[in-house]
Amino acid sequence: MRLLTTLTLLTGLLTGMPLQAENIALVGGRLIDGTAEQPLHNSVILVKDGIIEQVGTVDSLPVPAGYRVVSTEGHDVLPGLWESHAHIMLTGHANYTHWQKAYRDRQVDEIMPASLVQLLLAGITSVRDLGAPLEDSVAIKQKLAKGEIPGPTLYTSGPFLQAKVDDWQKHYRWEVTSEREAKAAVKRLHDAGMEIVKLIDHDDMPRPVAQAIVDEAHRLKMKVVAHAHKPDEIRVGVEIGIDNFEHTGLTTAPGYPQDVLDTLVERTATGIFDGLLFWTPTMEGLFTYPDLVKNPEALDDACWKRGLKDDTIADIKQSIAKPGHLNYMQLTPLRTPTIRNKINQLKETGVMMLVGTDSGIPMKFHCQSTWQEMAVWVHDMGFDAMDTIRAATYWPAVMMGVQDRYGSVTPGKVADVIAVRGDVLKYMNLVRNVDMVMKDGVIFKHNGIVDEALLLNFGK
């Protein structure tokens, strides 16, 4: 495999053309394709020019000449995962004010590329980045589009839109105080190539201002995500037409007020397929924090260091040396017991929940967060394993309106495919070790081994 990959790279370098995907047949594994279909045993997936051409079984679909056979025997084969709430400008450091000052000029060349490659090698082939300076978001999207760096398909919000912003945050958060400013801010984001608007503290905005943000975003075919930390953020968000709520609340309240739940039920009861109400709870880090304090060994995993400079790594390590001391997390042990009830409440409202993690925030590393969230969904919160996989594959693509190209392993879709050794429907935490990662028909990782030559020469 490495020889073929190297030859492909050399050909690209000599001709000056971007890296081209091979014609590949993924053969033998059990396919969980992201749709409502049952798993397909002994599957064959034909990939041509980066697109899934045909799907069948070893008995029904012969591998044509000219296709390289890659065995997936003994594996579950899935669509590439989506991380629906990431912060690629952050990499786990515990001091936000220090990080924003010290790494402001290192985002595009170091921090964001490191975040993206860590996500990719963890099996994340699509990611929603929810909050970053606009110029940095534009620059990193350009690098991906030109094939200069490897990474997932990236959907971005650029800066948060909110009612009031502290001075040290103004490069990645914008104050919006009038309807005119609301429309101008959304149009600026749209014209810069952002697909998402992120709205927070919208309950503190005059209602016409918040409504103008949502209306202008929808007019421009953008998606609107919004914080759901406060009951009024939810109440107002439903009224103004938010597409996707984020988080499960910052307080120790044992659950959502009944009127909020009634509002959500009313909203989901009147929505149709194109009007689904999505929710990204981002709860695993809160739920498992007490366990992390007891056993912080996961913080020593080398995976989060990939792509970062030595001084960056040292700075992050010292900031999280005492997980139990972090001011950011002091309320978390009191919040942890409330999460299970809130998740059960949300299940009953009919919202469509998505797998997202807030990866990048203190101690939440891009290489670990998504599989940990999926495992907690299944093993602790009682979600069905198939539903959890769809919440990390099919439904995020629907939310972003790109289900015609992404979200399932079906003919005509982009060949974003991963393989995991073992039965993920029984043991969801197996997703921590993704054995194969294919993005756009290119294999970046196979049999658990990263193609370092491919990463090293990517974009050259």
Side-chain angles (χ1 to χ4, degrees):
M1 172 192 163
R2 190 173 298 279
L3 177 60
L4 287 172
T5 302
T6 304
L7 289 174
T8 304
L9 279 163
L10 288 173
T11 300
L13 292 171
L14 291 172
T15 61
M17 298 294 289
L19 179 65
Q20 298 295 314
E22 303 173 73
N23 293 340
I24 293 175
L26 303 175
V27 178
R30 181 177 70 165
L31 173 61
I32 302 168
D33 69 7
T35 75
E37 188 57 77
Q38 290 297 302
L40 183 67
H41 295 270
N42 298 315
S43 65
V44 175
I45 304 164
L46 300 182
V47 175
K48 183 176 183 179
D49 298 328
I51 300 296
I52 297 167
E53 184 181 27
Q54 294 184 67
V55 176
T57 69
V58 293
D59 295 325
S60 66
L61 181 58
V63 176
Y67 284 71
R68 178 164 70 93
V69 174
V70 174
S71 175
T72 56
E73 291 284 7
H75 290 70
D76 278 343
V77 181
L78 316 172
L81 303 176
W82 283 63
E83 170 52 66
S84 285
H85 192 127
H87 293 283
I88 65 171
M89 71 171 181
L90 306 173
T91 55
H93 198 287
N95 187 325
Y96 283 157
T97 53
H98 164 76
W99 182 264
Q100 293 298 336
K101 181 179 180 180
Y103 296 90
R104 177 71 184 88
D105 297 327
R106 294 169 66 162
Q107 288 293 330
V108 176
D109 293 329
E110 179 192 356
I111 306 303
M112 288 179 163
S115 299
L116 290 171
V117 76
Q118 289 176 22
L119 286 161
L120 179 63
L121 296 179
I124 313 302
T125 58
S126 296
V127 60
R128 296 187 341 195
D129 182 47
L130 301 183
L134 182 58
E135 59 272 25
D136 292 352
S137 294
V138 171
I140 204 69
K141 286 169 78 77
Q142 289 175 343
K143 282 179 174 284
L144 284 168
K146 293 177 181 177
E148 294 176 0
I149 59 171
T153 301
L154 179 62
Y155 303 90
T156 51
S157 70
F160 300 48
L161 301 187
Q162 58 192 93
K164 187 176 180 180
V165 179
D166 293 335
D167 286 342
W168 67 273
Q169 299 174 319
K170 288 186 175 179
H171 60 292
Y172 72 99
R173 296 172 181 249
W174 292 351
E175 284 188 7
V176 179
T177 60
S178 70
E179 293 177 64
R180 180 184 61 80
E181 288 179 354
K183 293 178 181 179
V186 173
K187 188 174 188 305
R188 183 180 172 192
L189 293 173
H190 173 267
D191 291 349
M194 304 299 105
E195 301 88 358
I196 305 166
V197 172
K198 182 174 183 179
L199 187 57
I200 72 171
D201 293 332
H202 41 281
D203 55 319
D204 294 332
M205 290 180 173
R207 183 65 56 84
V209 175
Q211 189 69 65
I213 289 172
V214 175
D215 290 348
E216 183 69 3
H218 287 168
R219 185 184 73 81
L220 296 171
K221 309 301 181 186
M222 301 174 76
K223 302 295 184 178
V224 183
V225 304
H227 274 187
H229 286 309
K230 298 174 286 183
D232 275 350
E233 283 184 309
I234 304 170
R235 295 182 181 107
V236 173
V238 171
E239 291 178 6
I240 63 179
I242 295 299
D243 301 305
N244 188 169
F245 285 109
E246 309 290 319
H247 310 306
T248 53
L250 287 172
T251 72
T252 57
Y256 297 105
Q258 189 59 49
D259 75 291
V260 168
L261 298 173
D262 292 342
T263 297
L264 293 173
V265 170
E266 180 70 20
R267 170 65 175 79
T268 59
T270 56
I272 57 175
F273 188 78
D274 290 336
L276 289 169
L277 179 59
F278 294 91
W279 199 297
T280 315
T282 69
M283 48 81 180
E284 176 275 329
L286 301 173
F287 187 73
T288 61
Y289 172 71
D291 295 326
L292 182 66
V293 173
K294 294 175 185 175
N295 178 20
E297 192 62 32
L299 303 180
D300 294 334
D301 191 328
C303 71
W304 66 261
K305 302 173 185 177
R306 178 180 284 272
L308 297 175
K309 296 180 179 179
D310 289 344
D311 63 330
T312 308
I313 294 169
D315 194 9
I316 295 168
K317 287 179 67 175
Q318 64 80 28
S319 80
I320 58 175
K322 292 287 187 179
H325 287 182
L326 300 184
N327 290 336
Y328 183 88
M329 307 296 290
Q330 289 307 303
L331 197 60
T332 299
L334 299 178
R335 296 168 64 191
T336 297
T338 73
I339 294 171
R340 193 186 304 275
N341 181 50
K342 289 177 180 176
I343 292 298
N344 287 334
Q345 287 181 312
L346 289 176
K347 284 181 179 180
E348 294 298 318
T349 66
V351 297
M352 184 63 68
M353 280 188 270
L354 304 178
V355 170
T357 68
D358 231 2
S359 69
I361 67 169
M363 301 184 296
K364 291 303 297 174
F365 299 119
H366 300 294
C367 58
Q368 298 174 336
S369 295
T370 309
W371 77 258
Q372 290 172 341
E373 183 89 5
M374 294 175 73
V376 166
W377 274 42
V378 174
H379 302 311
D380 295 286
M381 297 297 166
F383 283 83
D384 176 78
M386 188 75 80
D387 290 343
T388 299
I389 290 169
R390 299 188 77 206
T393 56
Y394 178 77
W395 289 116
V398 172
M399 188 273 159
M400 288 306 302
V402 295
Q403 66 270 29
D404 60 328
R405 300 191 68 227
Y406 298 97
S408 63
V409 181
T410 49
K413 302 290 182 72
V414 173
D416 290 356
V417 186
I418 65 172
V420 180
R421 181 177 285 109
D423 184 348
V424 299
L425 297 182
K426 186 174 183 180
Y427 305 108
M428 184 57 67
N429 60 358
L430 290 175
V431 181
R432 72 185 182 274
N433 292 321
V434 176
D435 265 20
M436 187 203 76
V437 177
M438 171 184 279
K439 177 78 183 82
D440 295 323
V442 176
I443 295 178
F444 287 85
K445 186 179 182 182
H446 186 221
N447 289 332
I449 299 173
V450 175
D451 192 332
E452 302 289 356
L454 174 58
L455 294 180
L456 180 64
N457 289 285
F458 203 86
K460 295 182 180 180

